[in-house]
Amino acid sequence: MSTYHPLTESEAIQVARSLTNIFESEGELVSREIGDGNLNLVFHVSQPSTGLSLIVKQALPYAKVVGESWPLTLDRARIESEALIIEERFAPGLVPKVYHTDNELALTIMEDLSNHVIMRQGLIEGGFYPKFAEDISDFLARTLFFTSDLGMNQQEKKLLVRSFANPELCKITEDLIFDHPYVDADTNSFDAHLREDANKLWADSELHLEVAILREKFLTHAQALLHGDLHTGSIFITPESTKIIDPEFAYFGPMGFDIGAVLANLLLHYASQEHWSPNATARDERRKYLIQSVREIWVLFESKFRALWDEHGIDRIAKTAGYQDYYLRNLLQDTIGFTGAKMVRRIVGLAHVADIDRIPEPAVRAKAQRLSLEIGTKLIKRNRQSTSIEQLIDIADSASKV
Ligand code: SR1
Ligand code: MG
């Protein structure tokens, strides 16, 4: 079975048996394809007699969301496995355990996390996750610091940058986040009632300047190894546990892109509350919880990142007074700008979010979409003037009060 082909459910059982020793030799295995993402096959393989289980994830040679007309490198399976292994080293317990990688078959066999829920779905169902800000700030601070020039050997980092080049998946991001939403591109997809809003977006040269600056950072600023697609669909969660999955977009890029992805997806959920909250009191409480999560994630991230720098910083000249403050101020600004860009793409670009798309009433959905666009565009436009996370919060708060 070593030549690449998309696996069937029964072949997933064969690879799970032959490439790992997770299962007891006695006892039948059951396999189900459960992938609901944009790109891959995901098989859940279990042994009912023992309760043991695992996941076989296989990259397809094209983007499933579009079809075979959009070819896509299988090398992303290697990138994903290697990123998971590095993330586990720096943020232990916050990613699934990798049991086996097969680059020829483009597959990763890993821990089954089906006792968790996908965070996007958990939020839609009204879940509260009291440990999330602590866990995600740990993940971000530790993976970003220890793969940056502040926290790892700078020559080894250059070699790692090479093995995480990931040009095809970066191109998806460059197009779908930093280009297509700002022109009348074929890949864009939005409700007819947003036509005027899209026209405004395409004509806004002040906005385009900021997008060009953010795009340049994404293209050139190899600051740290990013997850690269850290939305709430890439997070498995329970109130007690957080697991970050799916780093196939990993590459060395600007740190604020990962932090912004998390904040953007909380704010997209915030923008959808008129539908998902049962009444005005619940909506206000939910919005406060989401805003408080955004604040805590940044505040905890910043203090953890500074502590890692003080304790484990490897660069003598980076200890110069004032440099850490300068670095964190730029990182906050990048985070705010990327948060905005990640919101806008989910409203007018190719790939949307269920928090908003699943709102059935067009008028309520339109309000959530416009609120997301308003918050997103303001964050993009104001990112370079920002000095505090409270400025991002004010933008979200005041937009939702109108
Ligand atoms: C063609 S892939 C569309 C989107 O799905 C992934 O999760 C990334 O966010 C990508 O932009
Ligand atoms: Mg994904």
Side-chain angles (χ1 to χ4, degrees), residues 145 301-313 324:
F145 177 80
F301 167 82
E302 180 176 356
S303 78
K304 289 173 187 182
F305 193 87
R306 284 182 185 273
L308 290 169
W309 189 326
D310 293 340
E311 196 178 334
H312 301 286
Q324 194 181 96

Side-chain angles (χ1 to χ4, degrees), residues 217-228:
K217 287 180 179 163
F218 186 85
L219 286 164
T220 64
H221 205 172
Q223 226 173 7
L225 179 61
L226 306 188
H227 175 284

Side-chain angles (χ1 to χ4, degrees), residues 74-287:
L74 295 174
D75 189 45
R76 65 188 197 276
R78 174 192 66 82
I79 299 249
E80 171 162 349
S81 270
E82 291 181 8
L84 283 172
I85 289 163
I86 292 173
E87 290 165 354
E88 171 65 22
R89 181 173 348 131
F90 296 128
L94 291 174
V95 296
K97 287 188 200 72
V98 172
Y99 300 140
H100 188 85
T101 305
D102 186 314
N103 292 338
E104 186 65 35
L105 285 172
L107 58 84
T108 308
I109 307 184
M110 63 186 122
E111 186 181 3
D112 173 25
L113 297 169
S114 39
N115 54 345
H116 292 59
V117 295
I118 288 290
M119 187 174 184
R120 187 179 310 287
Q121 187 56 30
L123 286 173
I124 285 173
E125 286 163 12
F128 285 91
Y129 300 106
K131 208 163 163 279
F132 178 63
E134 197 65 68
D135 284 348
I136 198 74
S137 59
D138 258 354
F139 177 83
L140 290 164
R142 297 184 63 81
T143 59
L144 297 177
F145 177 80
F146 283 116
T147 61
S148 76
D149 290 292
L150 301 166
M152 81 174 284
N153 177 285
Q154 296 167 347
Q155 277 56 52
E156 284 171 21
K157 176 183 168 237
K158 289 176 179 67
L159 298 176
L160 211 52
V161 169
R162 193 164 61 186
S163 75
F164 279 98
N166 214 353
E168 284 189 33
L169 277 82
C170 284
K171 170 84 173 127
I172 292 178
T173 302
E174 289 149 21
D175 288 345
L176 297 190
I177 301 185
F178 298 111
D179 182 354
H180 297 185
Y182 304 97
V183 294
D184 187 2
D186 288 346
T187 55
N188 287 336
S189 153
F190 51 84
D191 284 332
H193 58 237
L194 290 181
R195 170 60 56 181
E196 269 313 298
D197 305 80
N199 283 337
K200 267 205 236 152
L201 211 57
W202 300 339
D204 189 341
S205 52
E206 183 196 344
L207 182 70
H208 294 185
L209 170 61
E210 296 304 324
V211 172
I213 294 170
L214 291 165
R215 178 176 161 87
E216 187 213 329
K217 287 180 179 163
F218 186 85
L219 286 164
T220 64
H221 205 172
Q223 226 173 7
L225 179 61
L226 306 188
H227 175 284
D229 196 24
L230 195 39
H231 54 81
T232 45
S234 297
I235 298 170
F236 263 126
I237 200 152
T238 73
E240 298 81 34
S241 166
T242 308
K243 303 274 183 183
I244 290 91
I245 60 167
D246 222 9
E248 66 199 310
F249 283 74
Y251 89 112
F252 276 79
M255 297 179 183
F257 186 77
D258 267 4
I259 311 168
V262 177
L263 304 191
N265 280 271
L266 294 177
L267 291 176
L268 286 161
H269 187 62
Y270 171 96
S272 71
Q273 281 319 297
E274 188 163 331
H275 174 70
W276 297 110
S277 294
N279 54 50
T281 314
R283 185 194 61 208
D284 290 349
E285 188 194 337
R286 190 73 177 158
R287 282 188 173 157

